[in-house]
Amino acid sequence: MKVAIITGATSGLGWEAAVQIDERFKSLDEIWIIGRREDKLLELSACLAHSTRSFTMDVTDAQDRKEFCEALKKYRPNIRMLFQSAGKGLHGDFDKMKIEDETEMLRLNCEALLEMTHLCLPYMRKNSHIIHIASMAAFLPFPGYSVYGASKAFVLNFSRALRAELRKRKIHVMAVCPGPVNTPFFDVSERYTNGLSAFKKKFMNTPEKVIKKALNDAGSHRAVSVDNCIMRFCYFLSRVLSHDFIAGLLRFLRT
Ligand SMILES: NC(=O)c1ccc[n+]([C@@H]2O[C@H](COP(=O)([O-])OP(=O)(O)OC[C@H]3O[C@@H](n4cnc5c(N)ncnc54)[C@H](OP(=O)(O)O)[C@@H]3O)[C@@H](O)[C@H]2O)c1
């Protein structure tokens, strides 16, 4: 049974990934969708042409992951694509945020992503894909997003190293590094601030474009998918300028 597994499918980029994977990959037998909100999983399932299997689970919860592992053992799927979008951000100064909020974010963005990859890998074969949603915040030290940016740098570097490790098995790993995207992400990320900055409003992309580009890039076996030319320019700057200088500039611009 050929399946695609999508975490964070109840909203934003994960939802859009489910919709586009459904349209593109007709040879899949099932799409497995994961999120905590059962009503949203049902709503998404009704929008998709493929058969779906919904997992109402918190990916940070060890017991929920154990149950997911049991489902893998039971159905023994041939996982053609693992698309990990579950994640969240927090914007604000580190010393003004609750440490529990930051550590919870790390568990979701880093630990849960690792655990899910580890659970799924035994069911992946030649020419399958792992796609992880990182962020452009992964490229640089990002004042105001110090912990979020570091968590996404982890996702980016983990994905790149895993890509090299899995090359022999012909499993293709890619990190998606979007700039700001118009999703409910900001309802959570801006809860320590007074709302979206002018920078984010100006450069906001749509989930449709980010996912279309990501799936095209995965088809071309790219290591990293960057959604538009402005973000590609930022990526370039992050490689040639001093990170101290960039961090100072970002602080000044209050992005
Ligand atoms: N939007 C942006 O500007 C932007 C930019 C760069 C990178 N990203 C990254 O893109 C990814 C998707 O974000 P988005 O923009 O699509 O935001 P979103 O609309 O808020 O979606 C976040 C998804 O993560 C799921 N999730 C959160 N906590 C979870 C948990 N403990 N267990 C299981 N699922 C959980 C949510 O589902 P439930 O609430 O149903 O559990 C939801 O489906 C994130 O990794 C984010 O860091 C976003």
Side-chain angles (χ1 to χ4, degrees):
M1 176 173 56
K2 291 182 186 165
V3 308
I5 297 180
I6 303 159
T7 74
T10 52
S11 173
L13 292 169
W15 178 292
E16 184 57 31
V19 169
Q20 292 195 25
I21 288 168
D22 182 55
E23 282 165 3
R24 278 192 188 210
F25 301 105
K26 305 285 181 209
S27 67
L28 290 171
D29 297 304
E30 282 187 1
I31 299 181
W32 289 16
I33 49 179
I34 298 175
R36 290 168 302 177
R37 286 169 292 168
E38 193 173 13
D39 56 333
K40 288 285 169 189
L41 291 173
L42 281 171
E43 197 183 320
L44 174 61
S45 183
C47 299
L48 304 181
H50 281 89
S51 300
T52 56
R53 199 171 294 273
S54 301
F55 294 86
T56 310
M57 65 181 270
D58 179 341
V59 288
T60 64
D61 186 287
Q63 182 57 33
D64 283 3
R65 286 197 307 261
K66 201 167 164 218
E67 282 165 27
F68 181 71
C69 180
E70 293 305 319
L72 288 172
K73 281 185 192 152
K74 181 172 170 194
Y75 297 108
R76 300 206 60 79
N78 170 3
I79 303 175
R80 304 304 303 151
M81 183 178 285
L82 170 64
F83 192 107
Q84 297 213 70
S85 189
K88 70 174 182 181
L90 284 175
H91 185 201
D93 288 342
F94 176 69
D95 60 357
K96 306 221 167 54
M97 292 198 244
K98 282 196 200 151
I99 192 66
E100 301 80 34
D101 289 344
E102 301 279 31
T103 50
E104 188 195 328
M105 176 173 66
L106 281 183
R107 275 200 298 281
L108 174 62
N109 293 359
C110 304
E111 187 186 302
L113 179 131
L114 282 191
E115 295 267 6
M116 291 298 287
T117 309
H118 203 258
L119 285 181
C120 291
L121 260 176
Y123 302 91
M124 301 190 77
R125 301 184 195 158
K126 199 171 152 186
N127 291 327
S128 56
H129 291 267
I130 297 177
I131 302 177
H132 290 152
I133 304 285
S135 165
M136 73 159 291
F139 300 145
L140 347 131
F142 222 114
Y145 281 107
S146 55
V147 181
Y148 176 69
S151 76
K152 292 300 184 178
F154 173 94
V155 175
L156 175 61
N157 283 329
F158 168 61
S159 305
R160 296 193 97 143
L162 190 65
R163 175 185 173 83
E165 287 183 19
L166 295 178
R167 189 164 288 142
K168 264 202 255 157
R169 284 176 63 186
K170 291 196 166 50
I171 297 175
H172 309 289
V173 185
M174 185 182 80
V176 185
C177 295
V181 192
N182 194 2
T183 72
F185 172 85
F186 295 104
D187 300 346
V188 176
S189 75
E190 299 303 317
R191 74 165 185 257
Y192 282 99
T193 68
N194 299 321
L196 282 179
S197 67
F199 174 88
K200 287 197 200 97
K201 281 186 189 149
K202 193 166 169 54
F203 295 115
M204 191 75 87
N205 205 344
T206 63
E208 291 80 5
K209 285 187 186 160
V210 173
I211 295 300
K212 187 173 176 204
K213 175 85 171 59
L215 294 179
N216 286 342
D217 285 344
S220 310
H221 300 165
R222 286 188 190 276
V224 178
S225 176
V226 182
D227 54 319
N228 63 35
C229 50
I230 295 152
M231 294 309 143
R232 275 196 290 281
F233 183 60
C234 293
Y235 184 28
F236 167 74
L237 289 183
S238 76
R239 295 161 102 179
V240 295
L241 294 179
S242 133
H243 279 190
D244 256 1
F245 172 75
I246 297 176
L249 186 66
L250 288 171
R251 187 65 179 164
F252 175 73
L253 293 173
R254 299 249 160 213
T255 52

